[in-house]
Amino acid sequence: VANACAGVADPVKDIARQLIEVSPAVKSSLKVALGGGREYFRHNTQFDPENTTKKGLRTDSRDLTAEWVSTRGANAKFVYDNASFSAANPASTDYLLGLFERSHMQYEADRNKTAAGEPSLTEMTAKAIDMLDNNRRGYFLHVEAGRIDHAHHAGNAKRALLDTIEFAKAIKKAY
């Protein structure tokens, strides 16, 4: 992702573009995407909505968060903190893009639980299910807790364990 955002010629679209530039069938079925990595969606002249001294990394002048909303209709939303996430009503939101950190999500142990912070993995799972469960044909929901692996690589057993516990809570919620 960093190479594509830094302007290096690459025939493969970066992950952020792949989420936006999809076929019509995928676009209509991809209803919810929640996580981190906001800096890869916003151009390098655009200030971050939370950390207003930082800018995005894209050099192609695109704001993919705005494109997500504009290409998916009036009931599409982009959210970046707990307050806007909580305000997104599944009954009136057809498409939801939530990017809660410039880079990786916080470890559960460090997560800011205030309105300015980020939702838990369990809260994101519950919101996604609430948005998707009205589809009579069913749906596929992929939930992952990648910070578990990051903590293990850093030798941080406490953060790995707390993220594993949160992942188990999200699975239980989904079940």
Side-chain angles (χ1 to χ4, degrees), residues 5 42-47 55-62:
C5 289
R42 298 170 64 81
H43 58 81
N44 63 0
T45 62
Q46 187 176 25
F47 286 102
K55 294 181 181 178
L57 295 179
R58 300 199 70 78
T59 58
D60 59 7
S61 300
R62 293 176 72 182

Side-chain angles (χ1 to χ4, degrees), residues 86-124:
S86 296
N89 182 348
S92 59
T93 304
D94 294 330
Y95 298 91
L96 181 63
L97 174 63
L99 300 170
F100 304 105
E101 288 292 334
R102 287 181 43 79
S103 185
H104 298 291
M105 298 286 288
Q106 295 294 313
Y107 291 106
E108 181 59 25
D110 306 324
R111 183 173 62 85
N112 176 352
K113 297 168 180 72
T114 69
E118 63 191 50
S120 70
L121 188 60
T122 302
E123 291 165 333
M124 290 187 284

Side-chain angles (χ1 to χ4, degrees), residues 23-101:
S23 71
V26 172
K27 186 180 283 187
S28 67
S29 64
L30 181 59
K31 303 281 189 184
V32 183
L34 305 171
R38 188 172 57 236
E39 63 191 2
Y40 298 103
F41 284 76
R42 298 170 64 81
H43 58 81
N44 63 0
T45 62
Q46 187 176 25
F47 286 102
D48 186 79
E50 279 188 313
N51 189 339
T52 56
T53 63
K54 304 274 183 167
K55 294 181 181 178
L57 295 179
R58 300 199 70 78
T59 58
D60 59 7
S61 300
R62 293 176 72 182
D63 176 358
L64 300 182
T65 62
E67 287 184 38
W68 168 277
V69 173
S70 68
T71 61
R72 283 166 173 79
N75 293 331
K77 291 189 180 356
F78 163 64
V79 298
Y80 62 86
D81 61 12
N82 232 343
S84 58
F85 174 77
S86 296
N89 182 348
S92 59
T93 304
D94 294 330
Y95 298 91
L96 181 63
L97 174 63
L99 300 170
F100 304 105
E101 288 292 334

